[in-house]
Amino acid sequence: MQISVDELVENPKKYLNMVANEDIYIAKNGEDVAKLTKVSSAKKGIASKLFGILPKDADLGKSREERLSKI
């Protein structure tokens, strides 16, 4: 199903309920810009394993600079 951004803004609950059964493509000016999809339980499990991997004192800015300097 494809809907406009305006339609999603006007009826968010309607589409959050519908996404359990089908993917919803969100269009702006007639072109798809986003996809609203149901999260599978397998993906939830994978994502939960990622939490806590970074140390508490991780500096994301410094990590980004290091990564970009290697390019």
Side-chain angles (χ1 to χ4, degrees), residues 13-69:
K13 289 182 183 180
K14 173 184 174 181
Y15 294 106
L16 288 175
N17 290 329
M18 290 176 69
V19 78
N21 300 315
E22 63 181 304
D23 290 342
I24 299 172
Y25 294 87
I26 303 160
K28 183 176 181 179
N29 299 324
E31 294 200 28
D32 292 343
V33 295
K35 178 180 173 184
L36 189 59
T37 187
K38 178 181 175 181
V39 177
S40 72
S41 59
K43 289 181 184 176
K44 284 183 192 176
I46 292 169
S48 68
K49 290 179 183 177
L50 295 175
F51 292 113
I53 289 177
L54 285 176
K56 300 239 184 260
D57 62 342
D59 183 342
L60 298 181
K62 184 178 178 181
S63 297
R64 181 177 187 271
E65 288 176 20
E66 289 174 3
R67 194 172 59 251
L68 292 174
S69 71

